Amino acid sequence: MTHHPYPLKTRFWTPGVVVLAVLMAAGALAMAARFIGGIGYVSNLSTARPWGLWIGVDVASGVALAAGGFTTAFLAHIVGRHYYEPVVRPALLTAVLGYTFVVIGLLVDIGRSWAIWKPMVFWNFNSVLFEVAMCVMFYLNVLYIEFLPVVAEQYKGRVNLPGPLAALNGLVESVLSLADRVLDKIMWVFIIAGVVLSCMHQSSLGSLMLVAPTKVHPLWYTPILPLLFLTSAIAVGYPMVVFETTLATSSLKRDGEMRVLAPLTRITIYLLGLYMALKIGDMVVRGTYVHLLEGTAQTNAFLVEMVLGVIVPWLMLLSERVRRSRRALFAACAMIVGGVLLNRVNVFVVAYTPPVSEASYFPAVGEILITVGLIATLMFIYRFLVTHLPVLSAPAREVSA
Amino acid sequence: MKLTRRGFFKITGAAGAAATVSRAYAAKASPAPEDPFGCLVDLTRCIGCRKCEDACNRVNDLPPPARSFEDPTVLNRPRRPDEKAFTVVNRYFPGQRDASNQLVPTFVKIQCMHCQEPACASACIVGALTKKENGAVHYDVTRCIGCRYCMVACPFEIPAYEYHDPITPRVMKCTFCFERISEAGGLPGCAEICPTEAITFGRRKTLLAVAKKRIQDNPARYLQEIYGEKEVGGTSWMYITAVPFEKLGFIDVPDKPTPRLAETIQHSLFAYLWSPIVLYGLLGGIMWASRGNRPHPEDEEGDRR
């Protein structure tokens, strides 16, 4: 099967994109407020609840949902199933943007944004966060390197920067042609490194909360939390590809690529099944199922996470008919994506109960605006890049408006 | 499905190896200092005068309080240390009555416990928090990036944060008067001023002996328990009491240091970077073995049974 990614060159300012721009503007205002008045000015964070929406969604979920990047790279480039190529570039772009926005989210969340480079100099090997930070930093660079050939393919030999930037034309040109010549031969080094780094920090993200055994609800606090984070990140990789490919192809009026997506989700049955088995097995071994029907906000959040986010979509995927229907497959994958998102929010926010202060936490408007603004910006840039760079390969649908 | 089986073996293999290494790691000596300073708080002696709060405020150049340190009505509501107060005294009425049938109060001073194996120091991404030989859990603002993972980690909910400083916020907590106790004969501000000697400063081992002697000499006055002797692996601040600790707002924590599990997993998995190196080699092998093109699954339906 041959595929040929190409820049879409469709109309950019559609009504949806205008909505994104409005959300981005609102987020930018809230972000300005954070850097003028401090974190406390825009958030409900406190001594008892030092981590909230930003860490739960912008960082933890952002990292998990960018897992499509390394899982598709594994499948197409390491196991050699090249027929999955058509989804590798969009997944890679999602990962590049996802991780870039994880870092931007961190810049907002950490109190001393200007000091973000310090972990590179001051090392604490006991700190799980140190390991996560190092991996994310290296992986972000690996992702940029992996994406460079896509840029080179489009612009090599015709770099023409506008205005005063034109002085850089020669430099950019030589970087692109160098990338084009060299990267292809050594790309395997970065592809494997990307998978290794992903496995390391995806699991370590789960280890982060192990330091607070008295604060995390027993339904989530388990020594295998890192393994659960790793397996769920691997399991959500392909559903996330389906989710974003379907969104992108519908929105850009392309063909649905079901020929690639349907077999991809057959693999997900095994991956999600493994995660489900680990999660339920852990609950049985530790006897935490006694909490299930307590009816508190936490136990209900756990039930929603497990039933709607794991069990129901897994059962749906078992059906051949679901996997062949674009609509049903999208629904199942959206539930898996939502389930992993909820799991990260649950572990970092809902399950977290400070022992003394009963201060309940709900994100402030400012926190929500910043998070929504970041996600809108990510989608905006994704759309901008796929119209200008060869990322998507699905042909336009015949009935396009 | 080849892929899952491979993935599964990889994961179970890593878990098995982790279990082996973790046993080796658990035998490693505790990183706690051998003979640190500490403070023993005798709750039966505290009269709730809040002189310690006043002294702490002055010694650490903290902003003036909203209500004066002489105002006893502050005690009507329980408080927590925050970014403007490193220590607070709370009043409890655990139920005892005196001869004239009045409820007898018990006062409890709260501050950073200066754990022997502090979770905050283990968590800190840049090592801005460290356990010093003299017992203080010391905060170095020049390293801090403001991630607040220390606050997530602290089992006693102590570190506070300057949330309203946009550029250079600090993590704020009791310093154990690090500068003062580093000098010979130096005392923490609170211990120095306490008029009833409710706070005793000294070597932790000595204080444990003092506490045990007080309990032994006066078993009717004290409960047979020292809070901080074993809690989270021991703390530099310790308490003895006449009233059960759970009635006085003390937090129920395990005896094992809380960062132990995370550290063990972390060090077992990444010692000498063995696991990433093994994984890299494994993936390289798979990549080498599976080079070449494979048909689309739908095109190979015929070969499948």
Side-chain angles (χ1 to χ4, degrees), chain A residues 366-386:
Chain A
E367 283 174 273
I368 296 171
L369 284 181
I370 289 178
T371 296
V372 169
L374 285 176
I375 296 169
T377 313
L378 194 152
M379 293 169 74
F380 183 90
I381 297 178
Y382 181 97
R383 200 179 166 101
F384 179 81
L385 291 182
V386 296

Side-chain angles (χ1 to χ4, degrees), chain B residues 162-233:
Chain B
E162 295 182 318
Y163 278 113
H164 290 277
D165 184 331
I167 308 295
T168 54
R170 291 169 295 175
V171 169
M172 301 297 269
K173 70 165 197 71
C174 159
T175 61
F176 206 3
C177 288
F178 177 73
E179 312 291 336
R180 292 163 62 99
I181 66 168
S182 298
E183 284 163 28
L187 290 174
C190 54
E192 187 179 61
I193 206 163
C194 182
T196 60
E197 291 183 40
I199 308 171
T200 315
F201 176 81
R203 293 285 169 189
R204 188 171 182 271
K205 279 180 187 156
T206 319
L207 293 176
L208 276 170
V210 169
K212 281 173 185 157
K213 185 156 188 325
R214 274 192 215 166
I215 293 171
Q216 204 174 11
D217 289 352
N218 208 338
R221 185 179 169 109
Y222 296 103
L223 294 177
Q224 301 282 327
E225 204 187 329
I226 305 167
Y227 189 94
E229 182 183 11
K230 297 204 181 81
E231 276 71 15
V232 293

Side-chain angles (χ1 to χ4, degrees), chain A residues 40 74 118 124 127 208 215 357, chain B residues 3 123-124 142 149 154 157 163:
Chain A
F74 175 79
K118 287 192 174 175
N124 177 14
S127 172
L208 276 181
K215 291 180 172 178
S357 324
Chain B
L3 169 78
C124 182
T142 63
Y149 190 29
C154 176
E157 243 180 78
Y163 278 113

Side-chain angles (χ1 to χ4, degrees), chain B residues 203-273:
Chain B
R203 293 285 169 189
R204 188 171 182 271
K205 279 180 187 156
T206 319
L207 293 176
L208 276 170
V210 169
K212 281 173 185 157
K213 185 156 188 325
R214 274 192 215 166
I215 293 171
Q216 204 174 11
D217 289 352
N218 208 338
R221 185 179 169 109
Y222 296 103
L223 294 177
Q224 301 282 327
E225 204 187 329
I226 305 167
Y227 189 94
E229 182 183 11
K230 297 204 181 81
E231 276 71 15
V232 293
T235 57
S236 266
W237 278 70
M238 293 164 291
Y239 293 80
I240 50 175
T241 179
V243 183
F245 286 116
E246 55 270 27
K247 290 187 180 174
L248 302 173
F250 282 80
I251 301 170
D252 190 19
V253 291
D255 284 351
K256 212 176 97 173
T258 51
R260 209 43 95 61
L261 177 64
E263 281 186 15
T264 305
I265 291 179
Q266 188 79 354
H267 289 292
S268 325
L269 275 179
F270 299 121
Y272 309 107
L273 291 178

Side-chain angles (χ1 to χ4, degrees), chain B residues 18-183:
Chain B
T20 326
V21 187
S22 73
R23 242 170 274 132
Y25 178 76
K28 216 184 95 183
S30 147
E34 189 61 25
D35 193 20
F37 285 122
C39 276
L40 176 66
V41 185
D42 190 333
L43 296 180
T44 67
R45 296 185 181 185
C46 180
I47 55 168
C49 67
R50 300 180 60 221
K51 289 262 189 296
C52 51
E53 291 186 34
D54 193 354
C56 177
N57 179 281
R58 259 183 295 114
V59 167
N60 293 296
D61 293 320
L62 295 172
R67 280 149 84 190
S68 142
F69 288 113
E70 267 87 57
D71 182 355
T73 61
V74 169
L75 294 166
N76 291 345
R77 296 177 64 204
R79 295 172 299 152
R80 296 289 304 169
D82 59 29
E83 71 277 17
K84 290 171 184 152
F86 292 165
T87 186
V88 294
V89 175
N90 281 329
R91 183 180 60 200
Y92 292 86
F93 291 107
Q96 289 163 316
R97 288 172 187 275
D98 61 11
S100 52
N101 205 26
Q102 294 290 303
L103 280 168
V104 181
T106 300
F107 300 96
V108 181
K109 177 186 184 300
I110 316 172
Q111 72 296 308
C112 171
M113 298 290 284
H114 296 277
C115 308
Q116 283 286 72
E117 293 185 41
C120 58
S122 169
C124 182
I125 180 169
V126 283
L129 287 152
T130 44
K131 177 75 173 174
K132 298 291 186 190
E133 273 305 308
N134 66 13
V137 174
H138 183 256
Y139 171 65
D140 177 359
V141 69
T142 63
R143 287 191 174 198
C144 182
I145 65 167
C147 68
R148 307 187 299 286
Y149 190 29
C150 51
M151 300 167 69
V152 171
C154 176
F156 299 106
E157 243 180 78
I158 289 297
Y161 199 64
E162 295 182 318
Y163 278 113
H164 290 277
D165 184 331
I167 308 295
T168 54
R170 291 169 295 175
V171 169
M172 301 297 269
K173 70 165 197 71
C174 159
T175 61
F176 206 3
C177 288
F178 177 73
E179 312 291 336
R180 292 163 62 99
I181 66 168
S182 298
E183 284 163 28

